[in-house]
C-alpha cells in the first residue's frame, strides 16, 4: 500500500495526464473548426455561384460565422438539456457506421450505399441495429452523411455542425439569388429574411432534417426559375438533385412540394386572377389524390395521416398539448380544421410556454403576426403574384396546416414549422413597399 504522500503524487499525475489529454482534445477540435471555416470561406471566394450573388466576401464569411455560432448554440442547448436530441443521436449513429470500416470496408460501403430497414445480413446486423435508426430512412440517410465526412472531422460533433452551417449557407444563397430576380427586390430586407432570421438560424443549426428540406427547396426553386429563363440540362439535373435531397430525409414532403411546383411552372400561361386559379388547381390536386388513394389497398392517404398523428400522440413530451384523435374520414379532417389552424399558426401561446425555448418561440410567432399586419399596411399597390411567391405561399401554408393536424408537441411543432414560416416571411418582404416604409420612417 502506497504512503499517503505517494498516493497524492500518483493522483496528481493522473489528473495532470487527464488535463493534458483534454487540452490536446480541445485544441485539435478548435483547430479543425477554424481550419474548416477558413476552407469554406475560401470556397465561397472562388465559387462562381457565390461571387455572382454580389455579396462582399467579408459578409459571406460573417454570415457563415453566424450560422456556425447558431449551430453551436443549438448543439450546446440540446446536449445540456435534452441529451443531444435526434441530431446528436444520428451523429453517433454515423460514427457506428464509420467504425464498420475497420472491421470490413465491404460492410461500410454496404451501410453507406445499400438499402436500409428490415432484414440485414449477419455481418451488417450489429452495426445496422447499433445505429438505432436502421428502420428510419430519413435519419439513417443523415447518419450516412455523418459517416462519409467523418474522416474530415475526426469525429468531433462541433466540426460536423460547421459542415452543416456551410450546407445551410448554400441553401440560403439559392434563395437569395432566386429573389434577386423578383419584382420589388430590396437587398437588405431580402438578405435579412434569408440569412439573419433567428428562428431559421437556430432550427437549421443542428444536423437535422429540417435544414436539408430547406436546402432542397432552395435548389429546386432556383433551378426551376433558371430553367424557365434559359433551358439547360444542368438546371434539370440540379432540380432533380434538390428533389432527391428532400426525398432522402422527408419523402412525404414531395407530396407538398410537387403540386405547387407543377402549377408554378405553368403559371405564366394563365391570364388574370392568377392567385385564385392557382388556389383552385392546388385544392383539386390533393382532393383527386385522396380520392384515388382510397381505392388503392394499403395506400389510403387519410389513413396514413391518421396513423402518423397517432404516432405523435404516443410520443408525449414535456411540451405536449391536448388534441383530439383524427379518424380516416373527410368529415373528421374538416371538423379538426379549426384546431389544426390554431395549432399550426398560433402555438405555443405565451401563457402556455414551458421553459425559455418555448417562451422565445411564442414571442417569435407573435412577431410573425405583427409583421403580417405591417405587411398588409405597407402592401405594394402594384404587387403581382409570380411563380415563386405562389409556390412559397401555398407550400408553406399547406405544410403548416399539415403540422397542425399531426403534431401535438410544442417543441416539435416549432422546429417543423420554422422553414415554412421563413418562406412566408420571404413572400411578405416581396409584398412590402419598402420605398413607402423608408419615406414614412426616414422622411
Amino acid at each position: 500500500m502506497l504512503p499517503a504522500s505517494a498516493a497524492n503524487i500518483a493522483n496528481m499525475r493522473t489528473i495532470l495526464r487527464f488535463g493534458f489529454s483534454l487540452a490536446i482534445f480541445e485544441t485539435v477540435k478548435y483547430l479543425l473548426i477554424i481550419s474548416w471555416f477558413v476552407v469554406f470561406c475560401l470556397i465561397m471566394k472562388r465559387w462562381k455561384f457565390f461571387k455572382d450573388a454580389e455579396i462582399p466576401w467579408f459578409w459571406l464569411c460573417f454570415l457563415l460565422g453566424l450560422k456556425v455560432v447558431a449551430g453551436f448554440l443549438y448543439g450546446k442547448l440540446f446536449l445540456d438539456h435534452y441529451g443531444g436530441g435526434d441530431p446528436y443521436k444520428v451523429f453517433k449513429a454515423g460514427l457506428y457506421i464509420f467504425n464498420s470500416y475497420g472491421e470490413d470496408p465491404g460492410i461500410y460501403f454496404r451501410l453507406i450505399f445499400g438499402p436500409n430497414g428490415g432484414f440485414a445480413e449477419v455481418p451488417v446486423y450489429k452495426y445496422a441495429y447499433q445505429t438505432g435508426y436502421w428502420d428510419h430512412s430519413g435519419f439513417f440517410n443523415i447518419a450516412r452523411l455523418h459517416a462519409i465526412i467523418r474522416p474530415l472531422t475526426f469525429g468531433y460533433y462541433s466540426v460536423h455542425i460547421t459542415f452543416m452551417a456551410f450546407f445551410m449557407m448554400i441553401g440560403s444563397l439559392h434563395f437569395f439569388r432566386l429573389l434577386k430576380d423578383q419584382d420589388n427586390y430590396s437587398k437588405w430586407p431580402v438578405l435579412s429574411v434569408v440569412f439573419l432570421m433567428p428562428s431559421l438560424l437556430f432550427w437549421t443549426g443542428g444536423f437535422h432534417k429540417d435544414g436539408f428540406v430547406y436546402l432542397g427547396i432552395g435548389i429546386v426553386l432556383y433551378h426551376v426559375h433558371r430553367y424557365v429563363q434559359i433551358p439547360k440540362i444542368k438546371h434539370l439535373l440540379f432540380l432533380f438533385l434538390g428533389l432527391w435531397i428532400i426525398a432522402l430525409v422527408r419523402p412525404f414532403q414531395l407530396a407538398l412540394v410537387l403540386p405547387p411546383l407543377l402549377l408554378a411552372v405553368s403559371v405564366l400561361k394563365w391570364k388574370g386572377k392568377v392567385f385564385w386559379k392557382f388556389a383552385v388547381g392546388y385544392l383539386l390536386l390533393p382532393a383527386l389524390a385522396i380520392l384515388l388513394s382510397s381505392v388503392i389497398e394499403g395506400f389510403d392517404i387519410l389513413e396514413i395521416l391518421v396513423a402518423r398523428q397517432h404516432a405523435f400522440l404516443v410520443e408525449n413530451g414535456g411540451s405536449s398539448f391536448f388534441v383530439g384523435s383524427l379518424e380516416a374520414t373527410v368529415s373528421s379532417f374538416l371538423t379538426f380544421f379549426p384546431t389544426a389552424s390554431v395549432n399550426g399558426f398560433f402555438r405555443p401561446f405565451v401563457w402556455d410556454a414551458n421553459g425559455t425555448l418555448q417562451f422565445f418561440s411564442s414571442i417569435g410567432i407573435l412577431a410573425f403576426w405583427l409583421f403580417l399586419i405591417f405587411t398588409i399596411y405597407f402592401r405594394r399597390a402594384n404587387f403581382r403574384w409570380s411563380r415563386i411567391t405562389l409556390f412559397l405561399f401555398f407550400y408553406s401554408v399547406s405544410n403548416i396546416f399539415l403540422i397542425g393536424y399531426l403534431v401535438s408537441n410544442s417543441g416539435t411543432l416549432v422546429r417543423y414549422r420554422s422553414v415554412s414560416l421563413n418562406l412566408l416571411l420571404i413572400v411578405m418582404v416581396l409584398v412590402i413597399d419598402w420605398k413607402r416604409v423608408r419615406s414614412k420612417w426616414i422622411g
Side-chain angles (χ1 to χ4, degrees):
M1 189 165 177
L2 290 174
S5 57
N8 290 336
I9 293 173
N11 289 335
M12 183 63 68
R13 287 174 177 172
T14 301
I15 293 171
L16 289 173
R17 281 197 296 268
F18 176 78
F20 183 69
S21 300
L22 184 62
I24 292 176
F25 179 88
E26 290 295 304
T27 301
V28 171
K29 179 178 72 175
Y30 287 114
L31 283 175
L32 279 170
I33 293 170
I34 294 170
S35 298
W36 279 113
F37 180 81
V38 171
V39 168
F40 293 142
C41 284
L42 292 175
I43 290 173
M44 292 190 295
K45 186 174 186 178
R46 301 291 298 176
W47 190 355
K48 188 175 184 297
F49 182 73
F50 278 88
K51 291 196 292 186
D52 289 348
E54 299 176 1
I55 300 176
W57 180 60
F58 168 80
W59 277 104
L60 289 173
C61 294
F62 173 75
L63 294 170
L64 175 62
L66 282 181
K67 290 185 179 293
V68 171
V69 171
F72 289 168
L73 289 174
Y74 181 97
K76 176 67 174 173
L77 176 65
F78 276 77
L79 279 171
D80 288 350
H81 299 283
Y82 306 100
D86 282 323
Y88 185 72
K89 294 175 184 176
V90 175
F91 160 74
K92 298 291 287 185
L95 298 189
Y96 293 139
I97 294 174
F98 177 78
N99 290 339
S100 69
Y101 190 90
E103 178 179 338
D104 182 353
I107 297 176
Y108 171 80
F109 288 110
R110 161 66 180 84
L111 291 168
I112 292 293
F113 298 109
N116 68 289
F119 173 78
E121 309 90 296
V122 173
V124 177
Y125 178 88
K126 66 177 179 180
Y127 294 103
Y129 289 97
Q130 195 175 28
T131 65
Y133 293 101
W134 177 248
D135 291 311
H136 193 300
S137 180
F139 282 128
F140 193 79
N141 285 328
I142 297 177
R144 298 183 210 251
L145 179 57
H146 280 297
I148 290 171
I149 66 174
R150 163 61 179 80
L152 305 175
T153 64
F154 287 45
Y156 291 98
Y157 184 45
S158 52
V159 184
H160 284 248
I161 288 175
T162 306
F163 272 74
M164 185 63 176
F166 183 62
F167 296 151
M168 294 305 96
M169 191 70 185
I170 295 172
S172 293
L173 199 73
H174 274 87
F175 279 106
F176 182 79
R177 290 199 55 182
L178 172 71
L179 299 177
K180 283 181 63 182
D181 292 341
Q182 300 300 300
D183 293 338
N184 197 42
Y185 164 75
S186 186
K187 182 175 182 178
W188 289 108
V190 167
L191 187 145
S192 298
V193 77
V194 170
F195 288 100
L196 301 176
M197 293 307 297
S199 61
L200 188 74
L201 281 170
F202 181 77
W203 291 111
T204 61
F207 224 106
H208 220 302
K209 292 184 285 186
D210 306 277
F212 289 101
V213 171
Y214 177 73
L215 172 63
I217 291 175
I219 294 172
V220 166
L221 276 187
Y222 175 77
H223 287 284
V224 163
H225 179 67
R226 293 293 292 155
Y227 183 80
V228 171
Q229 291 179 323
I230 308 172
K232 289 185 177 180
I233 292 295
K234 73 173 184 178
H235 295 308
L236 284 179
L237 294 176
F238 278 107
L239 163 64
F240 288 115
L241 172 64
L243 292 174
W244 181 65
I245 291 172
I246 296 170
L248 284 177
V249 294
R250 282 215 176 109
F252 74 88
Q253 280 288 327
L254 292 179
L256 296 177
V257 169
L258 290 176
L261 186 64
L262 294 173
L263 291 169
V265 169
S266 59
V267 72
L268 293 184
K269 298 179 182 178
W270 302 338
K271 302 297 182 182
K273 298 183 178 178
V274 173
F275 179 88
W276 296 111
K277 291 178 179 178
F278 195 103
V280 171
Y282 191 68
L283 290 173
L284 286 176
L285 285 175
L288 182 61
I290 291 172
L291 182 63
L292 292 176
S293 72
S294 64
V295 299
I296 301 175
E297 186 69 27
F299 192 68
D300 189 310
I301 292 176
L302 295 183
E303 289 184 356
I304 293 172
L305 292 176
V306 168
R308 188 59 182 150
Q309 191 225 23
H310 290 176
F312 276 113
L313 290 175
V314 171
E315 298 174 2
N316 284 326
S319 59
S320 295
F321 49 85
F322 175 78
V323 295
S325 182
L326 281 168
E327 297 178 3
T329 63
V330 173
S331 61
S332 176
F333 276 78
L334 291 177
T335 302
F336 200 78
F337 182 79
T339 301
S341 303
V342 172
N343 291 348
F345 286 96
F346 293 96
R347 285 186 183 274
F349 304 122
V350 174
W351 52 87
D352 287 336
N354 182 16
T356 304
L357 187 58
Q358 281 192 47
F359 174 76
F360 281 111
S361 298
S362 65
I363 296 298
I365 193 64
L366 179 61
F368 170 84
W369 285 103
L370 291 175
F371 190 69
L372 178 60
I373 296 171
F374 176 86
T375 302
I376 294 170
Y377 183 77
F378 286 102
R379 181 181 184 274
R380 277 194 299 142
N382 62 342
F383 173 73
R384 296 291 181 270
W385 289 93
S386 68
R387 68 166 54 88
I388 301 305
T389 51
L390 284 168
F391 174 92
L392 293 175
F393 179 83
F394 280 91
Y395 164 78
S396 301
V397 169
S398 61
N399 193 39
I400 292 172
F401 270 121
L402 181 64
I403 293 166
Y405 270 110
L406 302 183
V407 178
S408 57
N409 180 280
S410 293
T412 304
L413 183 148
V414 169
R415 176 168 55 80
Y416 278 26
R417 187 182 60 193
S418 60
V419 169
S420 292
L421 283 183
N422 191 257
L423 299 185
L424 286 177
L425 287 173
I426 289 174
V427 177
M428 294 182 200
V429 164
L430 295 175
V431 169
I432 293 172
D433 186 342
W434 291 103
K435 291 181 180 178
R436 189 153 66 94
V437 172
R438 285 190 288 268
S439 65
K440 193 169 184 66
W441 285 3
I442 301 175

